[in-house]
């Protein structure tokens, strides 16, 4: 999938989920002022939380604060390379369901370098936004909003940033609101797509919505005027209709489309309405069209009938009155498959009378990337804490996703056998200055083949059970590990084990001798005892041994290396 360019709103607006009134059944919402030091309240009574839930970075202030109308637009958080290549906002303790994300991205030369950064951003481990320098002048100075819908199933929302070159990703604000899980045809589409906004248009109105006007939308959607999207040759012939009457069928589950959307509309004076939207190629798009017959002169079915063409294809014929009568809301959706161009056209052509349109939405259907298996995420986070992994290594968010970015530094991932999740395949953290210990949860990494934690300052014991699964190569040498050697290291899977230069004590498990043959030796303090090949071959479990190695045990240190003669490359 090519990098995505978000649909950008060059306006300053936000939403008020905290003011949602019954019967709307969802109450979870967050409004985070990235870089903000204190809570604040905007003119629409929305409370913005001081900056929180971030994994790293530094606060900043735009260079021209007076051109921004609200406090949350003047602050930002940026993520220099010293914070690692990957940083995130991670909101915890969320029930599973569908959520609406909105971000405000701003640069405004906060660093005095006149160089807007290049970076990528992901939601729930899927790349959704790509920012590339140079930004256009308006975007660089004023910033822009982007939004999308995504499912959360792991109890937390992960919004992550990936540095390109030496650039520092930036974010001005981050908003999250729970929405109806059945919204936007989710039953048919499934949970494995993220809906990225590429155009949400209100026809015949100015920009409106929570934070931009006093009109509310319980999902937090803001609706942009259609003027910039109408084909220029048709603008003069477009007629605006408006009503103050109530429109039935609005603000209802699962989409909760607001009544204001249907109280204005446009008709085509030449019998045609046509809109053009910018998109990215090779993606599918979900289009929603909104209608309400608010012309009281239309009193029966058949008086206004028109065809809808999507990219030149005649997709449907609409008779609003026949569907819902007068002053009733009607919505219709359509999916464009594998779009090959950079524009998407929506054209309404009158069959009887002029076509009418109240609103239009266009969402890219971005397939969710594979994510790391939950139990392995838990294990890796436990390791991050126990090993005291420094922030410069960027161990934030999903350890393996997105797949088009590198995994956590020092980590190699692969899909599992069913290609349903990502799993940890190798860990290489030698000589990283680690000073913690090895968490017992490492045994949850059941697909781990190679583990290198050598030449650090790790203490504690070797976790029992390490080596019982898929592990074939283990290097824990040159640390400060204590305690005994677990029996699990006698696993027949292991082909290379290095434990020298530690503080290990106790007996060597008898089974471990079955790995060393031909010239095995035990060195105990001041007296070296040679062990014959026959004695080694006769050790418990050694009847079928085909391995060769050296065992050295001196004082409280143990060095053990064993190699299978037919060892494969890694």
């Amino acid at each position: 999938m090519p990098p995505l360019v978000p649909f950008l709103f060059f306006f300053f607006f936000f939403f008020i989920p905290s003011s949602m009134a019954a019967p709307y059944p969802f109450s979870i919402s967050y409004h985070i002022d990235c870089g903000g030091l204190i809570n604040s309240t905007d003119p629409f009574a929305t409370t913005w939380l001081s900056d929180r839930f971030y994994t790293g970075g530094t606060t900043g202030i735009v260079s021209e604060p007076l051109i921004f109308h609200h406090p949350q637009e003047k602050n930002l958080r940026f993520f220099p390379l010293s914070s690692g290549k990957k940083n995130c906002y991670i909101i915890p303790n969320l029930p599973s369901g569908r959520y609406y994300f909105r971000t405000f991205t701003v640069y405004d030369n906060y660093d005095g370098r006149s160089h807007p950064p290049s970076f990528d951003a992901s939601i729930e481990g899927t790349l959704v936004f790509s920012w590339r320098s140079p930004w256009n002048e308006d975007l660089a100075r004023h910033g822009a909003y982007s939004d999308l819908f995504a499912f959360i199933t792991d109890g937390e929302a992960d919004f992550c940033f990936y540095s390109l070159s030496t650039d520092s990703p930036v974010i001005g604000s981050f908003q999250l609101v729970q929405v109806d899980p059945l919204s936007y045809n989710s039953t048919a589409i499934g949970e494995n797509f993220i809906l990225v906004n590429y155009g949400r248009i209100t026809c015949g109105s100015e920009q409106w919505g929570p934070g931009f006007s006093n009109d509310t939308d319980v999902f937090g959607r803001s609706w942009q005027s259609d003027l910039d999207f109408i084909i220029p040759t048709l603008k003069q012939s477009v007629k605006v209709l408006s009503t103050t009457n109530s429109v039935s069928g609005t603000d209802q589950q699962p989409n909760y489309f607001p009544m204001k959307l249907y109280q204005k509309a446009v008709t085509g004076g030449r019998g045609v309405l046509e809109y053009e939207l910018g998109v990215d190629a090779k993606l599918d798009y979900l289009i929603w069209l909104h209608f309400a017959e608010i012309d009281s002169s239309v009193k029966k079915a058949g008086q206004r009938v028109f065809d809808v063409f999507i990219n030149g294809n005649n997709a449907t014929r609409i008779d609003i009155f026949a569907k819902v009568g007068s002053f009733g809301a009607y919505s219709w959706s359509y999916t464009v498959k594998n779009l090959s161009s950079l524009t998407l056209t929506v054209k309404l052509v009158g069959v009887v009378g002029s076509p009418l349109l109240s609103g239009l939405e266009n969402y890219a259907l971005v397939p969710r990337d594979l994510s790391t298996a939950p139990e392995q995420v838990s294990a890796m986070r436990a390791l991050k804490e126990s090993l005291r992994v420094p922030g410069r290594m960027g161990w934030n968010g999903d350890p393996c996703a997105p797949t088009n970015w590198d995994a956590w530094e020092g980590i190699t991932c692969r899909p599992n056998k069913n290609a349903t999740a990502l799993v940890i395949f190798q860990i290489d953290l030698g000589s990283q200055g680690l000073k913690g210990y090895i968490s017992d949860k490492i045994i949850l990494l059941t697909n781990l083949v190679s583990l290198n934690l050598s030449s650090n300052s790790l203490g504690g014991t070797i976790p029992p059970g390490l080596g019982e699964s898929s592990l074939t190569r283990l290097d824990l040498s040159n640390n400060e590990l204590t305690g005994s050697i677990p029996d699990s290291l006698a696993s027949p899977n292991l082909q290379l084990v290095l434990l020298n230069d530690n503080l290990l004590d106790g007996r060597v498990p008898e089974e471990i001798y079955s790995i060393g043959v031909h010239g095995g030796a035990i060195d105990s303090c001041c007296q070296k005892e040679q062990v014959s090949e026959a004695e080694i071959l006769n050790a418990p479990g050694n009847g079928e041994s085909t391995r060769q190695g050296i065992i050295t045990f001196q004082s409280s240190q143990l060095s053990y290396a064993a190699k299978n003669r037919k060892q494969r490359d890694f």
Side-chain angles (χ1 to χ4, degrees), residues 22 39 47 50 131 159 243 257 316 359 387 433 445 472 483 494:
N39 293 354
T47 297
S50 60
W131 300 82
F159 177 36
T243 184
F257 294 124
T316 191
L387 297 177
L445 302 178
T472 63
L494 282 166

Side-chain angles (χ1 to χ4, degrees), residues 352-373:
V352 179
S354 297
L356 176 149
L357 185 63
S358 302
L360 184 157
E361 298 175 87
N362 184 34
Y363 297 99
L365 291 168
V366 179
R368 288 191 64 159
D369 205 346
L370 287 179
S371 58
T372 306

Side-chain angles (χ1 to χ4, degrees), residues 19-97:
S19 65
M20 295 173 183
Y24 192 73
F26 307 101
S27 60
I28 294 176
S29 62
Y30 288 91
H31 307 70
I32 299 174
D33 178 6
C34 302
L37 301 179
I38 59 174
N39 293 354
S40 61
T41 303
D42 65 33
F44 299 95
T46 302
T47 297
W48 288 84
L49 302 175
S50 60
D51 206 357
R52 61 194 67 189
F53 301 129
Y54 50 83
T55 61
T58 306
T59 61
I61 301 175
V62 296
S63 63
E64 299 177 278
L66 293 180
I67 68 174
F68 297 90
H69 301 293
H70 307 297
Q72 72 277 5
E73 296 167 343
K74 303 178 183 183
N75 307 308
L76 58 86
R77 176 164 291 275
F78 65 97
F79 303 98
L81 281 180
S82 58
S83 295
K85 293 282 289 185
K86 179 180 181 180
N87 278 278
C88 307
Y89 276 83
I90 302 176
I91 300 182
N93 303 319
L94 296 175
S96 295

